[in-house]
Amino acid sequence: MKKICISILAATSGTVAHAVVPDTGPDALFSFVGRVGGASGTAIMSRAVITAKHVGGLTFTLGGSNYQAVARVDHPTADISILNFGVDLPGWHTLGSSADLGSTLTLVGYGDTGVLNGAGNGYTIVAGGGIRRASTNLLHDRVFVTNYGPSMLSYLNVNGDAVLAAGDSGGGFFYNGRLVGVNSFIFTLNQSLPNYGFASLNGG
């Protein structure tokens, strides 16, 4: 089985993307990734936040403060939305253009987390949403996904690889500290193998 993390390119803009697995503890680095609609979003300008279109709501929560958007712009075909605010946010993350295949990406979000399962061949998802987590994986591929647009893929191959879980939607893929993608969805290529199983230990 290959469990795949999908990130729609932020510059262009399924199953709903789920927080970051494995459990790495609270993140202290990506401080301008906040919460939107029970999921995630990233401040990208003094008065703008990017999130996934399937993440509803107009409230951005950051550092214990709530900011109410004055407008929301949904992409017509991709799973991306921009929230605009009438006041300045505390800060934002710089946008990057992309990343090379094989590059190390950092996945950031507020979703559920997971731990190594008893068999050692995958993750068991546990509760824990509402805490910002960050962990890494490689950029394995780029594809065009109908209704989602140009997308970046990270495969769950071995223990330690980051993957998305419920609540990570709208969070970010970061490369060299710059936001290059928005968490959108996950899916499994082989339904006969366990969810969140490592491809290297589950027949590819």
Side-chain angles (χ1 to χ4, degrees), residues 20-137:
V20 172
V21 179
D23 190 353
T24 56
D27 161 68
L29 182 61
F30 296 93
S31 54
F32 304 120
V33 176
R35 302 198 71 190
V36 176
S40 308
T42 304
I44 55 171
M45 295 178 65
S46 61
R47 297 189 176 191
V49 166
I50 192 167
T51 188
K53 183 167 63 175
H54 73 263
V55 173
L58 294 170
T59 303
F60 181 57
T61 303
L62 189 67
S65 297
N66 293 326
Y67 300 87
Q68 192 70 18
V70 296
R72 179 181 175 118
V73 180
D74 294 335
H75 193 284
T77 58
D79 189 21
I80 285 182
S81 292
I82 301 291
L83 304 180
N84 293 309
F85 297 83
V87 297
D88 288 345
L89 301 170
W92 64 90
H93 289 291
T94 303
L95 291 176
S97 58
S98 189
D100 295 329
L101 292 178
S103 297
T104 298
L105 302 176
T106 302
L107 288 63
V108 184
Y110 279 83
D112 294 335
T113 191
V115 296
L116 186 65
N117 67 24
N121 65 354
Y123 296 133
T124 297
I125 302 302
V126 297
I131 297 172
R132 187 178 65 236
R133 294 181 179 85
S135 192
T136 61
N137 201 339

Side-chain angles (χ1 to χ4, degrees), residues 147-183:
N147 298 322
Y148 291 89
S151 303
M152 300 187 297
L153 284 69
S154 291
Y155 300 101
L156 178 55
N157 287 321
V158 297
N159 184 24
D161 283 350
V163 68
L164 305 176
D168 285 329
S169 294
F173 273 34
F174 288 82
Y175 174 62
N176 287 338
R178 294 173 178 260
L179 182 72
V180 294
V182 174
N183 300 339

